[in-house]
Amino acid sequence: MGGCCSAQVKCWLGPASCGLCCRCLPQINESTGTRFMYTLFLVIGFVVASLMLSPQLEQTFIDNVPGFNETCVNLMAGENCGKLTGYKAVYRLCLGIVAYHFVLCLLTICVKSSSYCRGGIHNGYWFWKILFFLSCIVASFFVPNIFRLYWMYVGMVGGVIFIVFQLILLVDFCHSWNAKWVGTKAGRKNACGYCGTLLFAVVFYMASVVAAFMLFWNYTSWEGCLHNKIFIGINTLLCIILSAVTLVPAVTRFNPNTNILQASVITLYVMYLTWSALSSEPPEDIVKLENTIKIVYSKQVDQKTKDMPGMSMDGIDDMRNIHSLSMTNSTQCRPNPTFDHMEMISAYAGLLIMLVVAIYSSLQTTIASHRLGVRRTAAAVQDRFECCCCCKVTGRGNHSEKGGQRVNYNEADASTYNYAFFHFVFCLAGLYVMMQLTNWYRPEESDLNKFGLNWAAVWVKMGSSWACVFIYLFTLFRPKCCPGRDLTFRRTDEVLVPGENESMRRESTV
């Protein structure tokens, strides 16, 4: 027990990495435990931000907590703690989270292993980092109100960069999959792998065709839903174009790794984004749009009856009856809910999915940072940074050997990911979550019960689908889309370049 307490003290107050106080648990890597802790910080911030947007929670406190308003006023939190609720509070909370990771990003630049003092800042000192985390959040609530307009634009830029990173990695995954299965050995492709890619491509295209048909069936009608028809038509046309360009033989001169597999994956993903965008359309806004069109049509009918004095009263009545029937049967450009409160349940499910996707994308981006041109500090470059701020930590023994969960110091010699880029990605993830919760450019309409049902989400998802198509077409003609990243085939029988170690080669190989 004493050894466990000693290990916990070293990781909370010192540079040691943390593990749980239970010896029977399996061994954990230092890199895994550290990323879990930072992910936990992000999850807690997300939960608090979601509660700030919950109207039910605020009303519950007002109704059930005696003296709630007086306490809020005494704490200078506004009437009924108004400063701690709404999209402005979410802006301030996320500002603190982003500031926290931005400072750590600056402190961990050019750190090559956890054995260095600034590596200890990343992996240890958790008590002090928790205090700093809370201090950043508290300080953000004292920032002047004028900041929120500029912060919204910063959030939009950061959120878009985060989405672009994910699209680049998706396209990179498609090319890597094809290169791994087809490959080249002694200049010849793998026939079995090529047949496998064709099989998956056929399955993906069949799913895409079914998805396009279902989108037209459920989100359009013969009389209305013109905007949905345009969205589905544009994305279907883009999928046809990217598939046709992929099949053009001349494209292989730019990228020999071109195959129908990549086009099928991107096509299916574009169809998914199209469905996600159409399902994000607010139902009440669609009805208002349809009714607005029909009101204009009604005025035109009345004007025509005035300009046509010879028309019989039966004809006039028929035109007005048609109009009244169309007004009562407004076109609904989405499937009907199958049960009560379906939209609220879908909103909370979408909220959970968004969190999982944001966390997974953040961790995956840091792991695959070399695919974005970000490398760990090479040995030749590391020697230039040998200075007092990069000195090794003396006496950083593995204190988990004395008790508690065993921690494998797998980064003592070299880090498994870029620390600074890790915190930069978490800054972008914080901005992405903030913009998703606050409806991007329409924060005044933020409502947790209707999460994802807004036109801002529609345009972001449609824009993501168009950006995905552009990035894919760009990689066909410019396979070296990132510094040091080549999406063409790599010969498996190639020899290493002198001075290139095996780990660097693995990172650069598709």
Side-chain angles (χ1 to χ4, degrees):
M1 187 65 183
C4 178
C5 293
S6 174
Q8 294 296 318
V9 170
K10 290 293 183 180
C11 78
W12 287 96
L13 301 179
S17 293
C18 282
L20 297 177
C21 214
C22 184
R23 197 66 173 178
C24 63
L25 291 175
Q27 181 177 266
I28 186 174
N29 288 331
E30 178 182 36
S31 58
T32 303
T34 299
R35 284 179 287 189
F36 173 80
M37 291 295 292
Y38 286 118
T39 301
L40 184 62
F41 283 13
L42 184 62
V43 171
I44 293 175
F46 172 82
V47 172
V48 175
S50 300
L51 293 177
M52 288 176 170
L53 289 175
S54 176
Q56 293 95 334
L57 182 67
E58 180 183 2
Q59 192 61 41
T60 300
F61 276 107
I62 294 174
D63 296 337
N64 300 310
V65 177
F68 177 71
N69 185 45
E70 291 78 3
T71 304
C72 292
V73 173
N74 294 333
L75 294 175
M76 296 183 293
E79 292 288 333
N80 293 321
C81 291
K83 292 184 179 180
L84 301 180
T85 59
Y87 77 93
K88 297 178 184 177
V90 176
Y91 275 6
R92 295 180 184 277
L93 175 66
C94 292
L95 173 62
I97 296 174
V98 172
Y100 171 78
H101 283 288
F102 181 73
V103 172
L104 288 178
C105 175
L106 297 179
L107 292 176
T108 54
I109 293 177
C110 298
V111 174
K112 66 177 182 179
S113 75
S114 61
S115 297
Y116 285 69
C117 58
R118 289 188 293 127
I121 294 175
H122 176 76
N123 293 286
Y125 299 104
W126 289 105
F127 174 76
W128 308 112
K129 286 193 291 191
I130 289 175
L131 289 182
F132 179 60
F133 181 74
L134 296 176
S135 300
C136 290
I137 292 176
V138 172
S140 66
F141 282 86
F142 292 93
V143 176
N145 289 328
I146 191 63
F147 96 100
R148 68 175 181 270
L149 177 62
Y150 306 103
W151 186 237
M152 182 184 72
Y153 291 121
V154 173
M156 291 179 66
V157 173
V160 169
I161 294 176
F162 185 81
I163 293 174
V164 170
F165 277 178
Q166 310 322 310
L167 297 178
I168 292 176
L169 292 179
L170 173 65
V171 174
D172 182 277
F173 165 76
C174 298
H175 288 290
S176 300
W177 182 6
N178 186 74
K180 185 177 181 179
W181 279 29
V182 178
T184 56
K185 188 173 183 179
R188 294 190 300 179
K189 296 181 179 180
N190 187 326
C192 293
Y194 184 75
C195 293
T197 59
L198 290 181
L199 176 62
F200 273 93
V202 171
V203 173
F204 291 155
Y205 271 120
M206 291 176 61
S208 301
V209 172
V210 172
F213 173 78
M214 295 302 295
L215 289 176
F216 274 107
W217 180 266
N218 292 297
Y219 291 92
T220 63
S221 66
W222 292 107
E223 298 179 354
C225 305
L226 178 61
H227 56 290
N228 284 356
K229 294 176 182 177
I230 294 175
F231 284 155
I232 300 172
I234 289 177
N235 281 6
T236 303
L237 179 61
L238 288 176
C239 292
I240 296 174
I241 291 175
L242 71 88
S243 300
V245 171
T246 303
L247 294 175
V248 174
V251 176
T252 57
R253 292 185 302 175
F254 300 94
N255 188 353
N257 191 23
T258 301
N259 195 2
I260 196 64
L261 174 66
Q262 296 98 305
S264 65
V265 174
I266 300 302
T267 298
L268 185 60
Y269 185 68
V270 169
M271 288 292 103
Y272 160 74
L273 288 179
T274 307
W275 167 79
S276 183
L278 298 183
S279 62
S280 297
E281 294 177 347
E284 63 275 8
D285 286 356
I286 297 176
V287 174
K288 290 179 183 178
L289 178 63
E290 296 292 330
N291 286 338
T292 300
I293 296 174
K294 289 165 183 175
I295 288 173
V296 174
Y297 173 75
S298 174
K299 293 180 178 179
Q300 294 177 349
V301 170
D302 293 339
Q303 184 64 34
K304 287 181 179 180
T305 57
K306 294 179 181 179
D307 296 339
M308 300 173 65
M311 180 178 289
S312 64
M313 292 301 298
D314 292 338
I316 295 175
D317 291 339
D318 290 340
M319 294 182 66
R320 287 176 176 171
N321 288 334
I322 292 173
H323 165 65
S324 62
L325 181 63
S326 64
M327 285 291 292
T328 56
N329 298 324
S330 297
T331 303
Q332 185 165 338
C333 304
R334 59 188 299 119
N336 293 319
T338 56
F339 54 87
D340 295 337
H341 306 295
M342 179 178 177
E343 291 183 357
M344 182 179 294
I345 295 175
S346 300
Y348 285 100
L351 197 68
L352 179 61
I353 293 173
M354 187 269 289
L355 174 63
V356 173
V357 170
I359 292 175
Y360 175 79
S361 299
S362 302
L363 297 177
Q364 190 63 28
T365 302
T366 57
I367 294 172
S369 60
H370 60 280
R371 297 183 176 183
L372 297 171
V374 179
R375 304 273 182 174
R376 295 193 299 274
T377 310
V381 180
Q382 290 168 358
D383 296 336
R384 305 175 188 176
F385 296 95
E386 297 289 348
C387 58
C388 60
C389 63
C390 296
C391 57
K392 282 194 174 183
V393 177
T394 58
R396 188 180 183 265
N398 193 341
H399 298 278
S400 66
E401 296 176 355
K402 301 177 182 179
Q405 185 181 18
R406 293 179 179 86
V407 178
N408 176 28
Y409 279 25
N410 63 322
E411 296 185 310
D413 296 326
S415 61
T416 60
Y417 59 97
N418 190 301
Y419 290 170
F421 186 71
F422 172 86
H423 290 290
F424 174 70
V425 171
F426 266 60
C427 285
L428 298 180
L431 294 173
Y432 171 78
V433 168
M434 179 185 74
M435 300 313 294
Q436 286 279 66
L437 289 175
T438 57
N439 292 352
W440 292 84
Y441 57 86
R442 290 185 176 181
E444 299 85 359
E445 302 174 4
S446 302
D447 188 350
L448 198 66
N449 296 334
K450 297 181 179 180
F451 175 77
L453 294 177
N454 57 84
W455 287 106
V458 173
W459 286 110
V460 168
K461 292 172 183 177
M462 291 301 300
S464 298
S465 65
W466 300 334
C468 185
V469 173
F470 171 78
I471 292 172
Y472 171 72
L473 293 176
F474 181 80
T475 58
L476 291 183
F477 298 95
R478 290 292 183 270
K480 294 183 178 181
C481 56
C482 296
R485 186 62 178 160
D486 192 349
L487 296 177
T488 56
F489 283 120
R490 297 296 296 270
R491 291 272 298 276
T492 58
D493 57 345
E494 288 179 348
V495 297
L496 289 176
V497 178
E500 182 183 25
N501 59 44
E502 184 63 28
S503 61
M504 294 176 64
R505 177 58 179 276
R506 283 198 303 267
E507 289 181 352
S508 61
T509 304
V510 176

